[in-house]
Amino acid sequence: MTPLLCDPISLRISPVVGEKALMVRSADTDNKTSPLQMKLAPVVPARWPCRIFLHCGLYGHERAVTDVKFSTGGEIGLLAATVSSDRMLKVWRQMGPREWTVWCNCEGHSDCIRTVAWAPDGQSIVTGSADNTMKVWALQGEDEDDAEATLSESAELADAMSPMRREKKFKLLCTLDGHGDTVTSVRFHPAGSLALSCSRDRKVRVYDTRVPFRAVEPASHSHSVSVITAAKGKASFPHDKEARELVASVDTAGMVKIWDVQTGEPVHVWTVDSQHSQPVTCMAFTNSVNFLITASKDGSIKRWDLRRLAEDSKQMSEEARKRLEKKGKELEENPRKLKAHQG
């Protein structure tokens, strides 16, 4: 299944893997609503399925686009961050209903950028790359010396360029090391202070941006970790004494771990290989945090009831463990198949 990314504000959906252009699409439920009106119109589930039509195409990357995320950007307006095999992070700004422009280009990674995520406040971006690092980009003002060098001796031209000089752009804030292989997925925790990442080195890392950027003790899997996601609210299950802030990660062998982001303690562990025949490519909690949605290369989407899982043992059944171990051995003995699972 090709991952689809949806902007809930304007119902824009973009296929992002293997394309050199970011295609922004709008949902038209009655064939009469304009894109601008659709942006302001509420979502009515009863009217779905809806018709999806091409909104606009954004061109600028030299190689395949690997990920895209939207942000409201606060006062700046609607923004889109795209990353590519060309090692470039591009931030696009919406100038009109069907008009987008490259707002800033960010360079720094030495290999393909695989994943990108926005901070909840829209003031920071985190990227993960095949160079084994994460980079945090923050919204900062232009350097005064550089700005002065661009000014003309003409007072009128200087006044005209003043707003441009003061405009903020995304610049590299820091590089986060620690992974021993390609970073496959990154997220900011909804609380905003934690940056999450997972990698082919089988580890999940949590960076506390308040310390600053101190790596919290990482969780680990038995195989390459492909996707990580965080719940927007706290959840409490029957065996929990108090509500927890949850994060979910899944590896290429199909093991899903839901764990407490503050303590690193596993809350639920199970394998999805009985329902998905191919690796999971996308994953998200519902707003209620009662369900986890997984999408796979096999073309299926599954919904997992976490409340029902909580009623079972906190450990996987012996049968599931044996099945997972057997699959892991098969992958290790077949390098070609392992590479395909790692995507």
Side-chain angles (χ1 to χ4, degrees), residues 202 222-224 251-255 273 277-279 323-342:
R202 307 179 182 184
S222 299
H223 301 275
S224 170
D251 61 32
T252 53
M255 176 182 283
D273 62 350
S277 60
Q278 294 291 326
R323 184 169 62 247
L324 187 62
E325 290 176 358
K326 181 179 178 181
K327 185 174 182 179
K329 289 181 179 179
E330 290 176 353
L331 292 176
E332 291 177 354
E333 293 173 357
N334 190 336
R336 180 177 298 179
K337 189 174 182 180
L338 177 61
K339 185 176 181 180
H341 269 69
Q342 291 178 340

Side-chain angles (χ1 to χ4, degrees), residues 201-213:
D201 65 4
R202 307 179 182 184
K203 293 184 179 180
V204 172
R205 298 186 69 84
V206 181
Y207 297 87
D208 192 337
T209 61
R210 297 167 297 187
V211 177
F213 298 107

